[in-house]
Amino acid sequence: MVALVLNSIIKLSKSAIKGKASLIIYLVCLALAVFTPLPAAVVVIAAGAAGVIIGRVSGRARQ
Amino acid sequence: MTLLRLFLEFFKVGLFAFGGGNAAIPFLYELAKNTGWFSALDLTNMIAVSEATPGPVGVNMASYVGYTVSGIPGLIIATFGLVCPSVIIILIISYVLKRYRDNPLVESAFIGLRPASMALISSAFISIVRVTLINEEAYAATKSLGDLFNPALIILAAVIFVLMRKLKLHPLIFIFASAAVGIIFRLGE
């Protein structure tokens, strides 16, 4: 199981983690999931909101 | 009451498990902790069984847990609860996406959702490692590093991982091979 899940993580991360912003979101979410009792759903919603903020900020920077 | 709770708990899993079957694993760990319906070790076994059977891992696990908790009705209710949110959401999204396909807000949200899903799967991976490769209870009792790790299982996991990356065979082959090694060398004892 350990090998299977690790293999899935490596495969999926190639498409899911692209660029610094998504790497930071990944690390923050991982820390929250491992070290805090926050429900996973809260982490997912917060990450979606962070994505929207990052999208807006980078959109403005481009303009 | 148990059936209603099964439905609601798996509805929650289905609602927030973005990124396929494996994304349901961290939510199921949470469910194991909160409900006591199954242990973390049960879940690890369930994942192995789910990977070795046809169909999405999340659905297989919902069926397994539902059946364990409440028999056939539990199986049906838990599976229905898991798939229900995605059916409803995809129906809404397919309608909305036609109109907002290129909306920057939707694209931006996925910038955050994809790595979050990966982080939750990684967190589940850490839990699986703690359950399968590390014996914290034995270490707490003896304070000896030799009791903390299980070298045979660590070597087996490493070998399977390397073979998986090199040979690119179906995961099922590795699951059966691991089970065979476990039986032959009596790794569970």
Side-chain angles (χ1 to χ4, degrees):
Chain A
M1 241 7 272
V2 171
L4 275 175
V5 178
L6 182 60
N7 195 34
S8 300
I9 289 170
I10 291 170
K11 275 186 191 169
L12 292 171
S13 63
K14 284 176 189 164
S15 59
I17 303 169
K18 286 179 178 169
K20 276 183 195 168
S22 58
L23 180 64
I24 290 167
I25 292 175
Y26 169 77
L27 293 173
V28 171
C29 289
L30 182 60
L32 289 174
V34 174
F35 298 113
T36 70
L38 268 181
V42 174
V43 177
V44 169
I45 292 169
V52 170
I53 293 165
I54 289 167
R56 290 214 160 177
V57 170
S58 60
R60 273 187 203 156
R62 261 181 241 145
Q63 284 171 2
Chain B
M1 204 59 203
T2 309
L3 288 178
L4 179 66
R5 190 157 178 221
L6 260 178
F7 176 80
L8 291 175
E9 292 292 349
F10 277 97
F11 189 91
K12 270 196 287 182
V13 174
L15 192 60
F16 293 109
F18 292 87
N22 286 332
I25 296 170
F27 292 92
L28 291 169
Y29 266 108
E30 212 171 273
L31 195 62
K33 263 194 286 177
N34 296 341
T35 62
W37 285 336
F38 50 95
S39 68
L41 188 63
D42 289 336
L43 182 60
T44 312
N45 295 338
M46 266 188 257
I47 296 166
V49 172
S50 300
E51 290 273 8
T53 48
V57 175
V59 172
N60 292 349
M61 286 199 284
S63 309
Y64 192 108
V65 175
Y67 185 77
T68 308
V69 174
S70 216
I72 297 286
L75 180 151
I76 294 166
I77 291 292
T79 310
F80 181 66
L82 185 87
V83 298
C84 211
S86 35
V87 170
I88 296 167
I89 289 169
I90 291 299
L91 281 174
I92 296 168
I93 285 177
S94 59
Y95 171 75
V96 173
L97 216 59
K98 275 185 186 169
R99 297 182 64 178
Y100 302 102
R101 190 182 301 243
D102 300 318
N103 188 313
L105 205 67
V106 175
E107 285 177 14
S108 302
F110 274 97
I111 293 173
L113 289 177
R114 287 190 205 105
S117 193
M118 286 308 307
L120 293 176
I121 297 171
S122 303
S123 156
F125 169 74
I126 292 168
S127 304
I128 292 170
V129 168
R130 285 179 64 183
V131 170
T132 55
L133 303 184
I134 296 172
N135 194 343
E136 289 169 9
E137 283 174 16
Y139 176 72
T142 63
K143 299 283 176 202
S144 159
L145 270 181
D147 290 331
L148 182 61
F149 301 105
N150 188 331
L153 293 181
I154 292 172
I155 291 168
L156 177 63
V159 169
I160 293 288
F161 176 72
V162 171
L163 289 176
M164 204 177 270
R165 302 290 298 170
K166 293 254 181 212
L167 302 178
K168 314 267 181 201
L169 295 173
H170 195 278
L172 201 59
I173 294 166
F174 296 106
I175 290 171
F176 284 126
S178 305
V181 171
I183 292 166
I184 292 166
F185 293 99
R186 299 184 177 195
L187 294 179
E189 291 176 6

